Amino acid sequence: MESLFSKIGNLGYELLGIFLPGFIFIHFMVFWWWSIGPMAGIWSQEFIPQAQVVQISGFIEVLNEGVQVGVLLFLALASYFIGHALHWISRGGPKRGELNFWSRVGYSVIFRVPKPDRDYHAGLDGVFEEAKIHLGFGSDSVWREYYPIAKSYLAKNLQTSLSPVYQNKYTLHRSLALASSLWFWISVASILISVPMVVYFGCPAPKWIPLSLSVPAAIVLINGFSGSYYYNWLLWGDSLISEVVMLKRSPPDAEV
């Protein structure tokens, strides 16, 4: 049973922390492809056609079953590898305290999604000392020593732990903050390139409204996901401390 819970936790991490961010980023790019309209053909020298919802739906419908499976497999693999890239890059953010809206966005748009400067909420300092002693650590032990042992201890002794939930959430939201930052810059660059092409060279215009709205929408998503990453990181640390202490204080015959 413990092995089963461990495998489910690992699968959840791969799905939520790796696959899903890549899958969502692909959707961002499909929306961008649709919003640039005829610019897709111009920029790619007609290699990539203009995206139309009706055409995309019709293309999917005419595919035979075998090709549909192949397309789905390609999307799954692309989502997985893109998700890994987002995960790897998003981990490099600097440690910062509580930041305001523009500070979070500012760090994120340079691909440095800020992480908390603490590993748990400060109010749990005393409880953390109790948890360290219970796991056999000295008072001078640091978080980097504590948390892997605490994770293993909870996986072995606690049937249902919240720590994997918070870990999956902060991993997901950190990657989505980076994905939104990429969408932001791609949309900004598309606008800056399209304006002179339309004004001075008479090229057909992209869909200005959805393309322009992509910029503030991306900013809102960057702020939301980076803030949620910060919050869930601290909750993850809180759970690794509080659940260890809960097990320590529980009666020996109690089911936990």
Side-chain angles (χ1 to χ4, degrees):
M1 185 61 71
E2 293 172 2
S3 176
L4 176 61
F5 282 130
S6 176
K7 291 179 180 178
I8 292 174
N10 291 335
L11 180 60
Y13 181 84
E14 292 292 328
L15 288 176
L16 295 177
I18 304 298
F19 174 82
L20 187 57
F23 187 68
I24 292 175
F25 179 74
I26 289 175
H27 279 72
F28 285 164
M29 293 300 94
V30 170
F31 180 83
W32 166 77
W33 176 28
W34 171 77
S35 67
I36 61 175
M39 289 295 174
I42 296 172
W43 293 342
S44 66
Q45 297 184 341
E46 303 304 329
F47 180 76
I48 300 176
Q50 177 179 348
Q52 297 287 354
V53 175
V54 174
Q55 292 176 348
I56 294 174
S57 301
F59 173 74
I60 294 175
E61 290 176 359
V62 299
L63 294 177
N64 61 47
E65 185 175 339
V67 176
Q68 286 180 357
V69 172
V71 171
L72 290 175
L73 181 60
F74 171 78
L75 288 175
L77 289 174
S79 299
Y80 186 72
F81 286 110
I82 291 172
H84 266 293
L86 293 171
H87 174 69
W88 179 70
I89 297 171
S90 66
R91 295 176 61 188
K95 288 188 175 183
R96 293 292 183 268
E98 189 70 36
L99 298 174
N100 60 29
F101 180 98
W102 290 113
S103 295
R104 281 201 301 268
V105 172
Y107 279 111
S108 298
V109 295
I110 60 173
F111 312 133
R112 302 276 289 171
V113 184
K115 65 179 65 173
D117 58 352
R118 295 184 60 91
D119 297 300
Y120 56 90
H121 286 97
L124 290 179
D125 283 337
V127 184
F128 182 39
E129 293 301 318
E130 183 179 350
K132 286 196 295 184
I133 293 172
H134 178 63
L135 294 183
F137 291 101
S139 59
D140 58 342
S141 300
V142 296
W143 180 259
R144 186 65 183 84
E145 299 173 283
Y146 169 83
Y147 87 81
I149 304 301
K151 285 178 62 177
S152 299
Y153 176 78
L154 292 175
K156 180 179 180 180
N157 296 283
L158 193 62
Q159 293 183 6
T160 304
S161 173
L162 288 175
S163 63
V165 176
Y166 294 130
Q167 184 177 23
N168 291 341
K169 289 180 70 174
Y170 84 64
T171 304
L172 169 65
H173 293 172
R174 182 178 61 195
S175 294
L176 289 179
L178 179 63
S180 301
S181 298
L182 290 169
W183 183 32
F184 167 82
W185 283 118
I186 291 171
S187 300
V188 169
S190 298
I191 294 171
L192 294 177
I193 295 171
S194 297
V195 169
M197 291 182 67
V198 173
V199 174
Y200 297 108
F201 300 101
C203 295
K207 297 178 175 66
W208 288 119
I209 293 178
L211 183 58
S212 300
L213 289 177
S214 296
V215 175
I219 290 174
V220 171
L221 290 178
I222 291 168
N223 176 69
F225 286 128
S226 61
S228 182
Y229 157 53
Y230 190 102
Y231 179 67
N232 282 287
W233 174 284
L234 293 176
L235 289 180
W236 170 69
D238 291 351
S239 65
L240 287 178
I241 295 170
S242 59
E243 290 178 352
V244 168
V245 173
M246 179 197 70
L247 285 171
K248 172 181 176 292
R249 298 179 181 178
S250 297
D253 57 345
E255 290 190 9
V256 287

